[in-house]
């Protein structure tokens, strides 16, 4: 009977307006479910704190400490799990799984997270290796640099708060439909429990875990995640996982050479030597010799014409490019903030100044020729039995004057260094009215007419009884008004 009540929650159980649909995964310290959020009318992922070595589920479905186990240890882990959820909920990085809310119920704690339906990087790797009719194909440089750019930006953000992921591996990296990776399954609570109780077995994934994760008093930090990231990249460039850290330690402790095959050897001629060197440095057994931060590691990868920078927390990828399509990583005319390089801005500035100088002459010519053009078009319209009024309407918008006005606004922004970037309002009218509107990639809550800087924005519109709609929009150089009609949900 005991083994039965330790099973996951059953399908149909409702937690905080979320109905459990199925189990997505079971780990040593938690269970992840797919659920339907009735409040937001969308699918979500729910992570339940459930350390199976010292917790069980009673007949009332409550999670409780096992008999003869330390209840204080369970409480300690529960509090750290809750704290982890609150911390992650503050992040809005495109490559960190979004936490919708966190709550306590059934004696445990639960994280409601965005459900990411894409394939894991592990599944992508298997697809690359299991082609029946084509030769084995490894990932291209552009595909790998895309992974680095986004995940390094996310890791840099969480490391700044003191959080270490501790379980980076291909199966914990989801590749969305637009090719952007997102990192799942943070292990802060898991590590806190292990540090609190030295009798528990250290849980780590071979090949991706550095030696310090196998030690109860191991000194862990950003370099721990960098080791795991290096192992992921090693597998992507060569198709094989690197040798386990344990096997390497066993060999070196016996005064034998490190059996590790360097990335610079397996990727020679296919990838930049600086990039391969950075992977080898990330996978050093001695943590004191590894890069100390994500920025330090990225610097190792940079070449003169191909810089690699971490994606920041304010920009996202709007286009739906698959992981197998070429990306913009390494483009020397793109800055880390997603904007144009100084040389590009200089060219734009010169072109605008030339336009302003010529603008009076253009308008004079336009005003001189306009009556002639109208007369000519009017004569033609008479021949074709069209109204001259319709013809004049074609020129009533005065495109040159309008272009001048817009260009003047743009120039004033460039030549005034103390002036803030222009913002434009966003208004979304929905049917049904009062639908819930969220902008998923920025922190401020959506308000009708809110001012936004020019950027790509991920919009989510939901309402009970209707299908949730997600879409990318671009705020460029004008106010936006959208009319969105939701489709009814059919049971």
């Amino acid at each position: 009977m005991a083994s039965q009540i330790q099973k996951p929650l059953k399908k149909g159980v409702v937690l905080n307006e979320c109905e459990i649909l199925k189990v997505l995964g079971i780990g040593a310290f938690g269970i992840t479910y797919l659920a339907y959020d009735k409040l937001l009318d969308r699918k979500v992922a729910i992570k339940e704190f459930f350390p199976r070595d010292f917790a069980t589920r009673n007949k009332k479905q409550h999670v409780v400490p096992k008999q003869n186990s330390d209840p204080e240890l369970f409480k300690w882990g529960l509090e750290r799990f809750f704290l982890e959820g609150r911390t992650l909920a503050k992040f809005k990085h495109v490559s960190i799984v979004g936490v919708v809310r966190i709550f306590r119920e059934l004696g445990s704690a639960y994280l409601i997270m965005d459900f990411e339906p894409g394939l894991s990087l592990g599944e992508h790797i298997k697809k690359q290796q299991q082609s029946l009719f084509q030769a084995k194909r490894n990932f291209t440089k552009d595909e790998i640099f895309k992974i680095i750019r986004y995940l390094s930006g996310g890791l840099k953000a969480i490391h700044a708060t003191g959080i270490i992921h501790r379980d980076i591996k291909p199966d914990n990296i989801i590749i969305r439909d637009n090719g952007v990776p997102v990192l799942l399954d943070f292990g802060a609570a898991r590590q806190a429990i292990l540090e609190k109780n030295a009798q528990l077995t250290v849980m780590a994934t071979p090949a991706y875990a550095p030696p310090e994760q196998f030690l109860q008093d191991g000194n862990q930090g950003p370099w721990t995640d960098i080791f795991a990231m290096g192992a992921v990249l090693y597998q992507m460039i060569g198709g094989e996982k690197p040798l386990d850290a344990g096997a390497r330690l066993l060999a070196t402790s016996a005064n034998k050479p490190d059996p590790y095959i360097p990335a610079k050897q397996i990727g020679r001629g296919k990838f930049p030597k600086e990039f391969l060197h950075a992977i080898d440095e990330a996978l050093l057994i001695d943590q004191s010799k590894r890069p100390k931060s994500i920025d330090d590691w990225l610097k190792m990868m940079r070449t003169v014409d191909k810089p690699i920078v971490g994606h920041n927390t304010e920009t996202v990828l709007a286009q739906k490019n698959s992981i197998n399509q070429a990306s913009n990583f390494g483009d020397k005319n793109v800055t880390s903030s997603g904007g144009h390089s100084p040389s590009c801005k200089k060219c734009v500035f010169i072109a605008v100044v030339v336009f302003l100088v010529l603008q009076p002459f253009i308008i004079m010519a336009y005003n001189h020729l306009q009556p002639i053009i109208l007369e000519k078009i009017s004569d033609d319209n008479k021949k074709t039995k069209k109204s001259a009024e319709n013809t004049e309407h074609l020129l009533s918008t005065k495109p040159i004057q309008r272009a001048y006005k817009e260009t003047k606004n743009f120039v004033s922004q460039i030549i005034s260094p103390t002036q803030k970037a222009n913002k434009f309002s966003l208004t979304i009218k929905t049917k049904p009215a009062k639908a819930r509107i969220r902008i998923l990639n920025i922190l401020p809550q959506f308000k009708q007419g809110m001012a936004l800087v020019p950027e790509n924005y991920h919009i989510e519109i939901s309402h009970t009884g209707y299908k949730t709609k997600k879409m990318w929009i671009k705020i460029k150089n004008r106010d936006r008004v959208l009319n969105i009609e939701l489709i009814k949900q059919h049971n």
Side-chain angles (χ1 to χ4, degrees), residues 167-187:
D167 196 19
I168 297 174
K169 56 186 178 181
D171 287 344
N172 281 342
I173 300 170
I174 296 295
I175 308 298
R176 296 187 179 99
D177 291 340
N178 61 6
V180 175
V182 58
L183 198 53
L184 310 178
D185 198 16
F186 288 73

Side-chain angles (χ1 to χ4, degrees), residues 283-327:
L283 289 171
L284 290 174
I285 291 294
D286 187 348
Q287 66 186 52
S288 66
K289 296 181 180 179
R290 281 184 233 139
K292 296 297 186 293
S293 69
I294 292 294
D295 280 341
D296 290 343
W297 190 40
L298 292 178
K299 288 178 183 178
M300 292 183 177
M301 299 185 189
R302 290 174 186 167
T303 61
V304 175
D305 60 338
K306 294 291 183 182
I308 303 176
V309 291
H311 204 283
N312 65 26
T313 59
E314 298 177 353
T315 55
V316 295
L317 184 70
Q319 294 179 341
K320 287 191 174 183
N321 295 328
S322 76
I323 189 173
N324 294 325
Q325 291 175 319
S327 67

Side-chain angles (χ1 to χ4, degrees), residues 412-428:
S412 65
Q413 178 182 342
I414 295 178
I415 64 178
S416 302
T418 59
Q419 184 177 352
K420 295 183 180 179
N422 286 343
K423 292 186 178 182
F424 302 94
S425 67
L426 174 62
T427 302
I428 302 178

Side-chain angles (χ1 to χ4, degrees), residues 447-458:
K447 295 181 180 179
Q448 294 291 356
M450 70 185 300
L452 297 171
V453 297
E455 185 54 88
N456 300 308
Y457 294 95
H458 197 187

Side-chain angles (χ1 to χ4, degrees), residues 78-179:
L78 183 64
E79 293 301 322
R80 289 303 299 266
F81 180 89
F82 199 85
L83 177 61
E84 173 190 344
R86 291 180 63 182
T87 303
L88 291 176
K90 298 176 182 178
F91 289 108
K92 292 298 179 184
H93 195 280
V94 68
S95 289
I96 297 178
V97 62
V99 175
V100 179
R101 57 186 181 273
I102 181 170
F103 62 95
R104 300 174 188 267
E105 197 168 334
L106 298 179
S108 186
Y110 298 83
L111 300 182
I112 301 181
M113 304 174 292
D114 291 331
F115 172 60
E116 302 291 351
L119 293 178
S120 71
L121 179 59
E123 291 170 308
H124 277 287
I125 292 174
K126 289 179 182 178
K127 288 174 63 177
Q128 298 282 56
Q129 304 299 320
Q130 294 179 351
S131 176
L132 297 177
F133 304 105
Q134 298 178 1
K136 181 175 70 173
R137 187 184 82 83
N138 293 327
F139 293 92
T140 67
K141 179 178 63 177
D142 287 333
E143 291 166 355
I144 294 177
F145 281 8
K146 188 171 190 176
I147 297 292
I148 296 171
R149 184 185 178 193
Y150 280 91
L151 292 187
S152 62
L155 287 173
K156 182 179 177 180
I158 66 169
H159 288 171
T161 68
I163 293 180
I164 309 300
H165 188 284
R166 293 186 173 92
D167 196 19
I168 297 174
K169 56 186 178 181
D171 287 344
N172 281 342
I173 300 170
I174 296 295
I175 308 298
R176 296 187 179 99
D177 291 340
N178 61 6

